[in-house]
């Protein structure tokens, strides 16, 4: 993909992380495959890229490491796969490991665990401003105004919301070893006056904690519940997301029930994720 008379761009979805803050959920499923609104987070990221015209293994890459065989099987031939041996390489190392595949192009890097929704624009067009008029030399970050503009981790008073656009000149020297984009690319570009934050007008959750993961699911469900057509629900279901093949015989209130999971008739779950017959992860509501 390239913009009008602009540089060619490919995309990388970062899906190699362990998701430690979501344990024990991520002991059995990589965070990138955790469902939000009954759609795997990774599929949401790939759909957003498709909305920008970025599809297929020539234009989209996905990295994998932790429980990587699940990510590889899930992606199939939809994207180029970069399997990292040993421990995950981090955000910078993951991109550096794809240097030969990126091969001179600008690269749109997205976090698989980013949940984004703009009611005024479809996935893809909602982040297209990142690409519009890009000079192929500067760094762009998608962001939202931070509650504390001076807080550590902010950029020009904004919090990062999951996608960045990097020029080849800064990607070509990234080593395939552990490192993060904040230190390796973003902060140096900021110091050089070559970083711009593009505001995102919609809703964003990084889904990294049980509370944010639950909040993203409830946002995807809207004002009611989202129940997969193959689920069985005979109990009370309020503001919840029920996955494919799940069974809910008891009461659930603000609960995510994973595909195939079960809530017994004598159970009353609130503010939680039920991952199978017994595993329940509490999720304190976000403010």
């Amino acid at each position: 993909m390239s913009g009008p008379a602009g540089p060619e761009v490919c995309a990388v979805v970062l899906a190699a992380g362990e998701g430690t803050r979501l344990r024990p959920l991520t002991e059995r499923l990589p965070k990138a495959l955790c469902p939000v609104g009954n759609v795997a987070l990774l599929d949401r990221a790939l759909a957003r890229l498709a909305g920008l015209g970025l599809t297929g293994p020539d234009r989209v890459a996905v990295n994998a490491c932790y429980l990587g065989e699940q990510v590889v099987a899930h992606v199939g031939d939809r994207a180029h796969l970069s399997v990292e041996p040993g421990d995950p390489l981090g955000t910078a190392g993951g991109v550096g490991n794809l240097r030969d595949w990126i091969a001179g192009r600008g690269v749109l890097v997205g976090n698989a665990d980013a949940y984004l929704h703009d009611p005024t624009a479809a996935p893809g067009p909602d982040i297209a401003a990142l690409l519009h008029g890009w000079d192929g030399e500067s760094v762009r970050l998608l962001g939202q105004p931070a509650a504390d503009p001076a807080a550590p981790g902010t950029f020009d008073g904004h919090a990062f919301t999951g996608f960045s656009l990097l020029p080849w000149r800064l990607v070509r020297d990234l080593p395939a070893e552990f490192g993060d984009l904040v230190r390796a690319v973003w902060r140096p570009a900021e110091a050089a006056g070559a970083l711009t934050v593009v505001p995102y007008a919609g809703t964003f959750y990084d889904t990294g904690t049980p509370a944010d993961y639950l909040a993203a699911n409830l946002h995807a469900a809207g004002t009611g519940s989202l129940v997969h057509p193959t689920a069985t629900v005979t109990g009370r279901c309020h503001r919840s997301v029920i996955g494919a093949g799940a069974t809910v015989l008891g009461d659930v209130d603000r609960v995510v029930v994973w595909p195939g999971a079960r809530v017994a008739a004598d159970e009353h779950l609130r503010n939680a994720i039920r991952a199978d017959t017994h595993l329940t992860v509490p999720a304190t509501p976000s403010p």
Side-chain angles (χ1 to χ4, degrees):
M1 175 184 179
S2 61
E8 185 179 4
V9 173
C10 61
V12 171
V13 181
L14 299 173
E18 297 184 31
T20 55
R21 293 178 298 163
L22 277 180
R23 288 177 179 166
L25 294 174
T26 49
E27 290 177 356
R28 60 194 67 196
L29 193 69
K31 182 165 64 169
L33 299 188
C34 290
V36 169
N38 287 333
V39 179
L41 281 162
L42 181 53
D43 290 339
R44 289 182 175 274
L46 292 174
R48 178 162 278 104
L49 295 177
L52 291 169
L54 292 166
T55 61
D58 292 334
R59 296 199 229 174
V60 178
V62 175
N63 74 336
C65 186
Y66 174 72
L67 298 179
E69 68 282 355
Q70 293 187 40
V71 174
V72 169
H74 189 85
V75 172
D77 61 0
R78 291 183 291 166
H80 174 80
L81 284 156
S82 174
V83 180
E84 299 168 6
D87 295 325
L89 292 172
T91 55
V95 174
N97 198 44
L98 280 159
R99 184 174 50 221
D100 291 344
W101 177 84
I102 295 168
R105 296 176 288 185
V107 57
L108 178 63
V109 181
N111 294 345
D113 59 0
Y115 172 82
L116 299 162
H117 180 266
D118 185 340
T120 67
D126 64 338
I127 67 167
L130 266 177
L131 299 170
H132 290 164
W134 186 51
D135 59 6
E137 295 293 325
S138 60
V139 172
R140 288 183 173 183
L141 303 183
L142 197 68
Q144 291 184 328
D148 178 1
T154 58
F155 295 84
D156 191 25
H158 290 72
F160 174 61
T161 56
F163 281 83
S164 63
L165 184 59
L166 312 180
W168 170 247
R169 69 179 182 86
L170 298 180
V171 169
R172 65 188 173 201
D173 295 325
L174 288 176
E177 59 188 38
F178 183 79
D180 66 80
L181 288 173
V182 176
R183 296 179 180 87
V185 178
W186 299 350
R187 289 303 185 194
E190 181 183 45
L195 183 144
T196 302
V197 177
V198 176
Y200 183 70
T203 297
F204 164 75
Y205 293 101
D206 75 357
T207 71
T209 66
D212 283 343
Y213 176 72
L214 173 62
N217 270 277
L218 298 182
H219 185 275
T223 58
S225 291
L226 181 59
V227 180
H228 194 276
T230 63
T232 299
V233 178
T234 60
R236 176 178 173 270
C237 181
H238 178 255
R239 290 294 318 278
S240 296
V241 177
I242 315 299
T247 301
V248 178
L249 307 179
D251 293 347
V252 292
D253 183 357
R254 297 174 58 89
V255 171
V256 179
V257 182
W258 274 14
R262 181 181 177 88
V263 178
D266 60 348
E267 289 188 286
H268 304 271
L269 301 183
R270 177 180 174 83
N271 294 322
I273 300 100
R274 167 58 59 86
D276 55 23
T277 303
H278 302 293
L279 177 59
T280 303
V281 176
T284 303
S286 298

